[in-house]
């Protein structure tokens, strides 16, 4: 591993409330800084990634919803550059869907059963050899908040995790690009601030979701803090 400092991870934040959360904190503890760009506020994304690690966060858009989120073409371009260069990537929710689409997979809006709140993620056998997800056990809780889904993984992608309602919960493209449908960055307390009315229309009770997430919080932190620190090591190995 090089002794040079780890370059800051470029983070694309797609909504005001959708920041890097505790994933950012854990990366910082591991010695990896962040440059968070907020294009919804008018901040421009760079033309070139320049070999830097990339994180694309969630948001209430499809990966090609360019009319509502006009920065998405630039985000897709950065993700494509990362894939071409073998640069570390972590795509979360929308970011995972965008990674899948850029790599040749498929995404559909309002597809399948929506998932909200703490959900048991089932690790597939392929995760046993994965640099981020190995050794986590058979299931791990993570917070979900989505109505859209990845319907087809990219050619050659490694399928790492699933749930009954949404099969493609985690995958890897190549050796250093991961996409997840769930939110490892979101703490249980975030659910208390969700608007209860849309949840009720989907058959969910916000207070019950919050209570379940609080009960799962220790297990979620134990798993996703480890995964984040492993991603930090992947980033360091490219410095």
């Amino acid at each position: 591993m090089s002794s040079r400092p780890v370059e800051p991870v470029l983070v694309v934040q797609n909504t005001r409330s959708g920041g890097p959360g505790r994933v950012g904190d854990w990366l910082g503890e591991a010695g990896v800084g962040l440059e968070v760009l907020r294009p919804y506020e008018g901040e421009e994304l760079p033309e070139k990634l320049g070999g830097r690690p990339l994180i694309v966060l969630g948001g209430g858009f499809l990966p090609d919803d360019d009319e509502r989120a006009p920065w998405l073409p630039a985000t897709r371009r950065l993700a494509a550059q990362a894939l071409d260069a073998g640069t570390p990537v972590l795509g979360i929710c929308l970011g995972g869907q965008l990674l899948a689409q850029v790599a040749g997979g498929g995404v559909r809006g309002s597809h399948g059963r929506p998932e909200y709140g703490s959900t048991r993620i089932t690790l597939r056998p392929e995760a046993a050899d994965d640099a981020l997800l190995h050794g986590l056990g058979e299931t791990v809780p993570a917070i979900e908040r989505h109505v859209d889904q990845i319907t087809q993984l990219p050619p050659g992608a490694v399928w790492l995790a699933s749930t009954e309602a949404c099969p493609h919960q985690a995958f890897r493209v190549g050796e250093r690009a991961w996409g997840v449908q769930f939110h490892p960055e979101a703490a249980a307390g975030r659910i208390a601030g969700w608007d209860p009315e849309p949840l009720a229309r989907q058959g969910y009770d916000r207070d019950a979701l919050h209570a379940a997430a609080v009960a799962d919080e220790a297990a979620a932190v134990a798993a996703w803090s480890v995964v984040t620190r492993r991603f930090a090591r992947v980033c360091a190995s490219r410095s």
Side-chain angles (χ1 to χ4, degrees):
M1 183 182 298
S2 171
S3 60
R4 290 185 297 168
V6 180
E7 290 188 274
V9 176
L10 182 66
V11 180
V12 179
Q13 180 173 332
N14 295 291
T15 65
R16 191 174 306 280
S17 61
R22 60 191 182 189
V23 162
D25 296 336
W26 293 328
L27 287 172
E29 292 168 4
V32 177
L34 306 180
E35 181 185 358
V36 182
L37 294 181
R38 301 171 177 86
Y40 58 90
E41 293 184 345
E43 295 182 349
E44 291 190 9
L45 300 182
E47 287 290 325
K48 295 185 178 180
L49 193 57
R52 295 174 57 184
L54 175 68
I55 294 177
V56 182
L57 298 172
F61 313 106
L62 287 167
D64 55 1
D65 197 353
D66 300 351
E67 184 173 345
R68 291 199 301 150
W71 59 89
L72 286 175
T75 308
R76 295 194 299 271
R77 182 179 65 246
L78 294 176
Q81 290 176 15
L83 289 173
D84 289 343
T87 303
V89 180
L90 177 60
I92 295 175
C93 196
L94 166 61
Q97 295 170 2
L98 184 142
L99 177 64
Q101 188 177 83
V102 167
V107 179
R108 289 183 61 185
S110 301
H111 180 76
R113 190 168 80 242
E115 291 182 306
Y116 292 95
S118 186
T119 304
R120 288 282 159 178
I121 309 299
T122 299
L123 280 299
R124 291 171 52 84
E126 293 87 344
D129 297 324
D130 184 70
L132 299 193
L133 298 182
H134 69 271
L136 298 184
E138 293 183 4
T139 64
V140 183
I143 290 176
E144 300 270 11
R145 191 179 184 183
H146 72 95
V147 298
D148 309 325
Q149 289 192 21
I150 298 165
T151 53
Q152 182 179 354
L153 291 180
V158 180
W159 186 10
L160 299 171
S162 66
T163 63
E164 181 179 353
C166 180
H168 302 124
Q169 288 287 342
F171 64 96
R172 189 183 74 247
V173 179
E175 295 301 318
R176 297 183 180 89
W178 288 268
V180 299
Q181 182 61 70
F182 50 87
H183 288 274
E185 85 287 4
R190 287 285 302 277
I191 295 176
W194 289 0
D195 186 344
E197 293 185 6
L199 293 171
R201 289 195 294 269
Q202 298 283 1
Y204 291 94
D205 177 80
R206 185 188 65 184
D207 294 339
L209 292 178
H210 179 240
V214 168
D216 285 342
E217 184 77 331
V221 168
W224 304 122
S225 62
V226 167
V227 168
T228 302
R229 291 185 178 96
R230 289 171 177 172
F231 183 71
R233 288 199 292 271
V234 173
C235 294
S237 74
R238 294 285 294 176
S239 296

Short mmCIF file of all heavy atoms in Angstrom, two decimals, residues 135-188:
data_model
loop_
_atom_site.label_atom_id
_atom_site.label_comp_id
_atom_site.label_asym_id
_atom_site.label_seq_id
_atom_site.Cartn_x
_atom_site.Cartn_y
_atom_site.Cartn_z
N GLY A 135 -18.10 -12.35 6.05
CA GLY A 135 -18.11 -12.56 7.49
C GLY A 135 -19.17 -11.84 8.28
O GLY A 135 -19.10 -11.80 9.52
N LEU A 136 -20.19 -11.30 7.63
CA LEU A 136 -21.22 -10.56 8.35
C LEU A 136 -22.31 -11.47 8.92
O LEU A 136 -23.13 -11.01 9.71
CB LEU A 136 -21.88 -9.53 7.44
CG LEU A 136 -20.98 -8.42 6.89
CD1 LEU A 136 -21.82 -7.43 6.09
CD2 LEU A 136 -20.21 -7.71 7.99
N GLY A 137 -22.34 -12.72 8.53
CA GLY A 137 -23.41 -13.62 8.95
C GLY A 137 -24.44 -13.77 7.85
O GLY A 137 -24.31 -13.23 6.75
N GLU A 138 -25.48 -14.52 8.17
CA GLU A 138 -26.50 -14.81 7.14
C GLU A 138 -27.39 -13.62 6.85
O GLU A 138 -27.79 -13.41 5.70
CB GLU A 138 -27.34 -16.01 7.58
CG GLU A 138 -26.57 -17.32 7.64
CD GLU A 138 -27.47 -18.48 8.00
OE1 GLU A 138 -28.70 -18.28 8.13
OE2 GLU A 138 -26.95 -19.60 8.14
N THR A 139 -27.76 -12.85 7.87
CA THR A 139 -28.62 -11.68 7.68
C THR A 139 -28.07 -10.51 8.49
O THR A 139 -27.46 -10.70 9.54
CB THR A 139 -30.07 -11.94 8.10
OG1 THR A 139 -30.13 -12.20 9.50
CG2 THR A 139 -30.67 -13.11 7.33
N VAL A 140 -28.33 -9.30 7.99
CA VAL A 140 -27.92 -8.07 8.66
C VAL A 140 -29.04 -7.05 8.49
O VAL A 140 -29.59 -6.92 7.40
CB VAL A 140 -26.62 -7.49 8.05
CG1 VAL A 140 -26.17 -6.27 8.81
CG2 VAL A 140 -25.52 -8.53 8.01
N PRO A 141 -29.42 -6.32 9.56
CA PRO A 141 -30.45 -5.31 9.39
C PRO A 141 -29.91 -4.03 8.75
O PRO A 141 -28.78 -3.62 9.01
CB PRO A 141 -30.92 -5.04 10.82
CG PRO A 141 -29.71 -5.32 11.66
CD PRO A 141 -28.98 -6.43 10.95
N ALA A 142 -30.72 -3.43 7.91
CA ALA A 142 -30.39 -2.14 7.31
C ALA A 142 -31.69 -1.40 7.02
O ALA A 142 -32.73 -2.02 6.79
CB ALA A 142 -29.57 -2.30 6.03
N ILE A 143 -31.62 -0.09 7.02
CA ILE A 143 -32.80 0.72 6.76
C ILE A 143 -33.04 0.82 5.25
O ILE A 143 -32.13 1.08 4.47
CB ILE A 143 -32.65 2.11 7.39
CG1 ILE A 143 -32.72 1.98 8.91
CG2 ILE A 143 -33.72 3.07 6.88
CD1 ILE A 143 -32.49 3.27 9.66
N GLU A 144 -34.29 0.60 4.87
CA GLU A 144 -34.72 0.71 3.48
C GLU A 144 -35.68 1.89 3.34
O GLU A 144 -36.42 2.23 4.27
CB GLU A 144 -35.46 -0.56 3.05
CG GLU A 144 -34.66 -1.83 3.15
CD GLU A 144 -33.90 -2.15 1.87
OE1 GLU A 144 -33.82 -1.27 0.98
OE2 GLU A 144 -33.39 -3.28 1.78
N ARG A 145 -35.67 2.47 2.14
CA ARG A 145 -36.67 3.50 1.80
C ARG A 145 -36.70 3.63 0.29
O ARG A 145 -36.07 4.51 -0.30
CB ARG A 145 -36.33 4.84 2.47
CG ARG A 145 -37.46 5.86 2.36
CD ARG A 145 -37.11 7.16 3.03
NE ARG A 145 -38.22 8.08 3.01
CZ ARG A 145 -38.20 9.33 3.48
NH1 ARG A 145 -37.08 9.80 4.00
NH2 ARG A 145 -39.26 10.10 3.41
N HIS A 146 -37.47 2.76 -0.36
CA HIS A 146 -37.48 2.80 -1.82
C HIS A 146 -38.77 2.19 -2.37
O HIS A 146 -39.38 1.31 -1.76
CB HIS A 146 -36.27 2.05 -2.40
CG HIS A 146 -36.36 0.57 -2.25
ND1 HIS A 146 -36.84 -0.25 -3.25
CD2 HIS A 146 -36.02 -0.26 -1.23
CE1 HIS A 146 -36.80 -1.51 -2.85
NE2 HIS A 146 -36.31 -1.55 -1.63
N VAL A 147 -39.15 2.69 -3.55
CA VAL A 147 -40.25 2.11 -4.32
C VAL A 147 -39.76 1.61 -5.68
O VAL A 147 -40.46 0.85 -6.35
CB VAL A 147 -41.41 3.11 -4.53
CG1 VAL A 147 -42.01 3.53 -3.20
CG2 VAL A 147 -40.94 4.33 -5.31
N ASP A 148 -38.56 2.05 -6.09
CA ASP A 148 -37.96 1.62 -7.36
C ASP A 148 -36.98 0.49 -7.08
O ASP A 148 -36.48 0.34 -5.97
CB ASP A 148 -37.24 2.79 -8.03
CG ASP A 148 -38.11 4.04 -8.12
OD1 ASP A 148 -39.33 3.88 -8.33
OD2 ASP A 148 -37.57 5.15 -7.99
N GLN A 149 -36.68 -0.29 -8.12
CA GLN A 149 -35.81 -1.44 -7.93
C GLN A 149 -34.89 -1.66 -9.12
O GLN A 149 -35.21 -1.32 -10.26
CB GLN A 149 -36.63 -2.73 -7.74
CG GLN A 149 -37.37 -2.85 -6.44
CD GLN A 149 -37.90 -4.27 -6.23
OE1 GLN A 149 -37.42 -5.22 -6.84
NE2 GLN A 149 -38.88 -4.40 -5.37
N ILE A 150 -33.75 -2.27 -8.81
CA ILE A 150 -32.90 -2.84 -9.85
C ILE A 150 -33.56 -4.15 -10.29
O ILE A 150 -33.78 -5.05 -9.47
CB ILE A 150 -31.49 -3.11 -9.33
CG1 ILE A 150 -30.82 -1.81 -8.89
CG2 ILE A 150 -30.64 -3.83 -10.38
CD1 ILE A 150 -29.58 -2.01 -8.05
N THR A 151 -33.90 -4.25 -11.55
CA THR A 151 -34.58 -5.45 -12.05
C THR A 151 -33.63 -6.42 -12.74
O THR A 151 -33.96 -7.59 -12.92
CB THR A 151 -35.70 -5.06 -13.02
OG1 THR A 151 -35.14 -4.21 -14.04
CG2 THR A 151 -36.81 -4.32 -12.30
N GLN A 152 -32.47 -5.93 -13.14
CA GLN A 152 -31.48 -6.79 -13.80
C GLN A 152 -30.09 -6.29 -13.46
O GLN A 152 -29.78 -5.11 -13.64
CB GLN A 152 -31.68 -6.77 -15.32
CG GLN A 152 -30.71 -7.68 -16.07
CD GLN A 152 -30.96 -7.66 -17.57
OE1 GLN A 152 -31.92 -7.05 -18.04
NE2 GLN A 152 -30.11 -8.33 -18.32
N LEU A 153 -29.26 -7.19 -12.95
CA LEU A 153 -27.89 -6.82 -12.65
C LEU A 153 -27.07 -6.68 -13.93
O LEU A 153 -27.39 -7.28 -14.95
CB LEU A 153 -27.25 -7.86 -11.74
CG LEU A 153 -27.78 -7.94 -10.31
CD1 LEU A 153 -27.06 -9.03 -9.54
CD2 LEU A 153 -27.65 -6.61 -9.59
N PRO A 154 -26.01 -5.89 -13.87
CA PRO A 154 -25.16 -5.74 -15.05
C PRO A 154 -24.49 -7.07 -15.43
O PRO A 154 -24.29 -7.94 -14.56
CB PRO A 154 -24.10 -4.72 -14.60
CG PRO A 154 -24.70 -4.02 -13.43
CD PRO A 154 -25.58 -5.02 -12.76
N PRO A 155 -24.14 -7.23 -16.68
CA PRO A 155 -23.42 -8.45 -17.09
C PRO A 155 -22.14 -8.61 -16.27
O PRO A 155 -21.37 -7.67 -16.10
CB PRO A 155 -23.10 -8.18 -18.56
CG PRO A 155 -24.13 -7.19 -19.01
CD PRO A 155 -24.40 -6.33 -17.82
N GLY A 156 -21.94 -9.80 -15.74
CA GLY A 156 -20.73 -10.09 -14.99
C GLY A 156 -20.74 -9.62 -13.56
O GLY A 156 -19.77 -9.87 -12.82
N ALA A 157 -21.80 -8.93 -13.11
CA ALA A 157 -21.84 -8.46 -11.73
C ALA A 157 -21.97 -9.64 -10.77
O ALA A 157 -22.55 -10.68 -11.10
CB ALA A 157 -23.02 -7.50 -11.54
N VAL A 158 -21.44 -9.47 -9.57
CA VAL A 158 -21.53 -10.47 -8.52
C VAL A 158 -22.70 -10.09 -7.61
O VAL A 158 -22.70 -9.00 -7.03
CB VAL A 158 -20.23 -10.57 -7.71
CG1 VAL A 158 -20.36 -11.62 -6.61
CG2 VAL A 158 -19.07 -10.90 -8.63
N TRP A 159 -23.68 -10.97 -7.52
CA TRP A 159 -24.89 -10.73 -6.72
C TRP A 159 -24.59 -11.11 -5.28
O TRP A 159 -24.28 -12.26 -4.96
CB TRP A 159 -26.01 -11.58 -7.31
CG TRP A 159 -27.36 -11.39 -6.73
CD1 TRP A 159 -27.79 -10.43 -5.87
CD2 TRP A 159 -28.51 -12.19 -7.00
NE1 TRP A 159 -29.11 -10.56 -5.57
CE2 TRP A 159 -29.58 -11.65 -6.26
CE3 TRP A 159 -28.72 -13.33 -7.79
CZ2 TRP A 159 -30.86 -12.22 -6.29
CZ3 TRP A 159 -29.99 -13.88 -7.81
CH2 TRP A 159 -31.04 -13.34 -7.07
N LEU A 160 -24.71 -10.14 -4.36
CA LEU A 160 -24.21 -10.31 -3.00
C LEU A 160 -25.27 -10.42 -1.93
O LEU A 160 -25.02 -11.04 -0.88
CB LEU A 160 -23.28 -9.14 -2.65
CG LEU A 160 -22.02 -8.99 -3.52
CD1 LEU A 160 -21.33 -7.68 -3.19
CD2 LEU A 160 -21.09 -10.16 -3.31
N ALA A 161 -26.44 -9.81 -2.13
CA ALA A 161 -27.44 -9.80 -1.05
C ALA A 161 -28.82 -9.58 -1.63
O ALA A 161 -28.98 -9.01 -2.72
CB ALA A 161 -27.12 -8.71 -0.02
N SER A 162 -29.85 -10.00 -0.87
CA SER A 162 -31.23 -9.90 -1.35
C SER A 162 -32.18 -9.77 -0.17
O SER A 162 -31.82 -9.97 1.00
CB SER A 162 -31.58 -11.14 -2.17
OG SER A 162 -31.59 -12.29 -1.33
N THR A 163 -33.42 -9.39 -0.48
CA THR A 163 -34.55 -9.57 0.42
C THR A 163 -35.68 -10.20 -0.40
O THR A 163 -35.62 -10.23 -1.63
CB THR A 163 -35.05 -8.23 1.01
OG1 THR A 163 -35.52 -7.38 -0.05
CG2 THR A 163 -33.96 -7.52 1.80
N GLU A 164 -36.70 -10.66 0.29
CA GLU A 164 -37.82 -11.28 -0.42
C GLU A 164 -38.51 -10.28 -1.34
O GLU A 164 -38.90 -10.61 -2.46
CB GLU A 164 -38.83 -11.85 0.59
CG GLU A 164 -40.02 -12.54 -0.06
CD GLU A 164 -40.99 -13.10 0.97
OE1 GLU A 164 -40.68 -13.07 2.17
OE2 GLU A 164 -42.07 -13.56 0.55
N ALA A 165 -38.66 -9.04 -0.87
CA ALA A 165 -39.38 -8.04 -1.66
C ALA A 165 -38.53 -7.43 -2.76
O ALA A 165 -39.06 -6.96 -3.77
CB ALA A 165 -39.88 -6.92 -0.74
N CYS A 166 -37.22 -7.44 -2.59
CA CYS A 166 -36.33 -6.79 -3.55
C CYS A 166 -35.07 -7.63 -3.69
O CYS A 166 -34.16 -7.53 -2.87
CB CYS A 166 -35.99 -5.38 -3.06
SG CYS A 166 -34.88 -4.46 -4.16
N PRO A 167 -35.00 -8.46 -4.71
CA PRO A 167 -33.89 -9.42 -4.80
C PRO A 167 -32.50 -8.79 -4.87
O PRO A 167 -31.56 -9.31 -4.29
CB PRO A 167 -34.21 -10.20 -6.08
CG PRO A 167 -35.68 -10.06 -6.25
CD PRO A 167 -36.02 -8.69 -5.75
N HIS A 168 -32.36 -7.68 -5.56
CA HIS A 168 -31.02 -7.15 -5.83
C HIS A 168 -30.67 -6.06 -4.82
O HIS A 168 -30.69 -4.86 -5.10
CB HIS A 168 -30.94 -6.61 -7.26
CG HIS A 168 -31.25 -7.66 -8.29
ND1 HIS A 168 -32.24 -7.50 -9.24
CD2 HIS A 168 -30.74 -8.89 -8.50
CE1 HIS A 168 -32.30 -8.58 -9.99
NE2 HIS A 168 -31.39 -9.45 -9.55
N GLN A 169 -30.30 -6.49 -3.62
CA GLN A 169 -29.99 -5.56 -2.54
C GLN A 169 -28.54 -5.11 -2.54
O GLN A 169 -28.23 -4.04 -2.04
CB GLN A 169 -30.33 -6.20 -1.20
CG GLN A 169 -31.81 -6.32 -0.92
CD GLN A 169 -32.46 -5.00 -0.60
OE1 GLN A 169 -31.80 -4.02 -0.25
NE2 GLN A 169 -33.79 -4.96 -0.69
N ALA A 170 -27.64 -5.95 -3.02
CA ALA A 170 -26.23 -5.58 -3.08
C ALA A 170 -25.56 -6.36 -4.20
O ALA A 170 -25.89 -7.52 -4.44
CB ALA A 170 -25.54 -5.84 -1.74
N PHE A 171 -24.61 -5.70 -4.86
CA PHE A 171 -23.88 -6.33 -5.95
C PHE A 171 -22.52 -5.65 -6.09
O PHE A 171 -22.29 -4.55 -5.55
CB PHE A 171 -24.67 -6.24 -7.26
CG PHE A 171 -24.86 -4.84 -7.76
CD1 PHE A 171 -24.01 -4.29 -8.72
CD2 PHE A 171 -25.90 -4.04 -7.28
CE1 PHE A 171 -24.18 -2.98 -9.17
CE2 PHE A 171 -26.08 -2.74 -7.73
CZ PHE A 171 -25.22 -2.21 -8.67
N ARG A 172 -21.66 -6.30 -6.81
CA ARG A 172 -20.34 -5.72 -7.10
C ARG A 172 -20.08 -5.83 -8.60
O ARG A 172 -20.37 -6.85 -9.21
CB ARG A 172 -19.25 -6.48 -6.34
CG ARG A 172 -17.87 -5.79 -6.41
CD ARG A 172 -16.78 -6.61 -5.70
NE ARG A 172 -16.40 -7.79 -6.47
CZ ARG A 172 -16.62 -9.04 -6.09
NH1 ARG A 172 -17.23 -9.31 -4.93
NH2 ARG A 172 -16.24 -10.06 -6.86
N VAL A 173 -19.52 -4.76 -9.15
CA VAL A 173 -19.09 -4.76 -10.54
C VAL A 173 -17.57 -4.68 -10.54
O VAL A 173 -16.99 -3.75 -9.96
CB VAL A 173 -19.68 -3.57 -11.32
CG1 VAL A 173 -19.20 -3.58 -12.76
CG2 VAL A 173 -21.20 -3.59 -11.27
N GLY A 174 -16.92 -5.64 -11.16
CA GLY A 174 -15.47 -5.68 -11.09
C GLY A 174 -15.02 -5.97 -9.67
O GLY A 174 -15.68 -6.69 -8.92
N GLU A 175 -13.90 -5.39 -9.28
CA GLU A 175 -13.35 -5.66 -7.95
C GLU A 175 -13.55 -4.52 -6.96
O GLU A 175 -13.36 -4.72 -5.76
CB GLU A 175 -11.84 -5.96 -8.07
CG GLU A 175 -11.54 -7.24 -8.83
CD GLU A 175 -12.18 -8.46 -8.18
OE1 GLU A 175 -12.14 -8.56 -6.94
OE2 GLU A 175 -12.73 -9.30 -8.93
N ARG A 176 -13.96 -3.33 -7.44
CA ARG A 176 -13.95 -2.17 -6.53
C ARG A 176 -15.20 -1.30 -6.64
O ARG A 176 -15.18 -0.16 -6.17
CB ARG A 176 -12.71 -1.31 -6.79
CG ARG A 176 -11.40 -2.03 -6.49
CD ARG A 176 -10.21 -1.10 -6.69
NE ARG A 176 -8.96 -1.78 -6.39
CZ ARG A 176 -8.25 -2.46 -7.27
NH1 ARG A 176 -8.69 -2.55 -8.53
NH2 ARG A 176 -7.14 -3.06 -6.93
N ALA A 177 -16.26 -1.78 -7.22
CA ALA A 177 -17.48 -0.97 -7.35
C ALA A 177 -18.66 -1.73 -6.77
O ALA A 177 -19.00 -2.81 -7.26
CB ALA A 177 -17.74 -0.62 -8.82
N TRP A 178 -19.27 -1.16 -5.74
CA TRP A 178 -20.38 -1.80 -5.05
C TRP A 178 -21.63 -0.92 -5.13
O TRP A 178 -21.56 0.31 -5.02
CB TRP A 178 -20.06 -2.00 -3.58
CG TRP A 178 -19.05 -3.07 -3.30
CD1 TRP A 178 -19.29 -4.39 -3.02
CD2 TRP A 178 -17.62 -2.92 -3.26
NE1 TRP A 178 -18.10 -5.06 -2.82
CE2 TRP A 178 -17.06 -4.19 -2.96
CE3 TRP A 178 -16.76 -1.83 -3.45
CZ2 TRP A 178 -15.69 -4.40 -2.83
CZ3 TRP A 178 -15.39 -2.04 -3.34
CH2 TRP A 178 -14.88 -3.30 -3.04
N GLY A 179 -22.78 -1.57 -5.30
CA GLY A 179 -24.06 -0.91 -5.22
C GLY A 179 -24.94 -1.59 -4.20
O GLY A 179 -24.95 -2.83 -4.11
N VAL A 180 -25.65 -0.80 -3.40
CA VAL A 180 -26.60 -1.35 -2.42
C VAL A 180 -27.91 -0.60 -2.55
O VAL A 180 -27.94 0.60 -2.86
CB VAL A 180 -26.07 -1.25 -0.97
CG1 VAL A 180 -24.77 -2.05 -0.82
CG2 VAL A 180 -25.86 0.19 -0.53
N GLN A 181 -29.02 -1.31 -2.31
CA GLN A 181 -30.33 -0.70 -2.36
C GLN A 181 -30.70 -0.05 -1.03
O GLN A 181 -31.48 0.90 -0.97
CB GLN A 181 -31.38 -1.75 -2.73
CG GLN A 181 -32.80 -1.21 -2.85
CD GLN A 181 -32.91 -0.15 -3.93
OE1 GLN A 181 -32.82 -0.44 -5.11
NE2 GLN A 181 -33.10 1.11 -3.52
N PHE A 182 -30.13 -0.54 0.05
CA PHE A 182 -30.47 -0.08 1.39
C PHE A 182 -29.59 1.12 1.79
O PHE A 182 -28.77 1.61 1.00
CB PHE A 182 -30.32 -1.23 2.38
CG PHE A 182 -29.02 -1.97 2.28
CD1 PHE A 182 -27.90 -1.55 2.96
CD2 PHE A 182 -28.91 -3.10 1.47
CE1 PHE A 182 -26.69 -2.21 2.86
CE2 PHE A 182 -27.71 -3.79 1.36
CZ PHE A 182 -26.59 -3.35 2.06
N HIS A 183 -29.75 1.56 3.04
CA HIS A 183 -29.09 2.79 3.51
C HIS A 183 -28.21 2.52 4.73
O HIS A 183 -28.63 2.74 5.87
CB HIS A 183 -30.15 3.83 3.88
CG HIS A 183 -30.84 4.44 2.70
ND1 HIS A 183 -30.34 5.52 2.01
CD2 HIS A 183 -32.00 4.09 2.08
CE1 HIS A 183 -31.15 5.83 1.01
NE2 HIS A 183 -32.18 4.98 1.03
N PRO A 184 -26.97 2.09 4.52
CA PRO A 184 -26.09 1.88 5.67
C PRO A 184 -25.74 3.17 6.40
O PRO A 184 -25.34 3.14 7.57
CB PRO A 184 -24.84 1.25 5.04
CG PRO A 184 -24.86 1.70 3.61
CD PRO A 184 -26.31 1.76 3.25
N GLU A 185 -25.91 4.30 5.72
CA GLU A 185 -25.57 5.59 6.33
C GLU A 185 -26.64 6.12 7.26
O GLU A 185 -26.41 7.07 8.02
CB GLU A 185 -25.29 6.62 5.22
CG GLU A 185 -26.49 7.34 4.65
CD GLU A 185 -27.38 6.50 3.74
OE1 GLU A 185 -27.13 5.30 3.58
OE2 GLU A 185 -28.34 7.06 3.18
N ALA A 186 -27.84 5.55 7.23
CA ALA A 186 -28.99 6.10 7.95
C ALA A 186 -29.12 5.47 9.33
O ALA A 186 -29.23 4.25 9.46
CB ALA A 186 -30.27 5.88 7.15
N ALA A 187 -29.13 6.30 10.35
CA ALA A 187 -29.36 5.84 11.71
C ALA A 187 -30.86 5.70 11.98
O ALA A 187 -31.70 6.29 11.29
CB ALA A 187 -28.75 6.82 12.71
N ALA A 188 -31.19 4.92 13.00
CA ALA A 188 -32.59 4.66 13.33
C ALA A 188 -33.37 5.94 13.59
O ALA A 188 -34.55 6.06 13.25
CB ALA A 188 -32.69 3.73 14.54
#
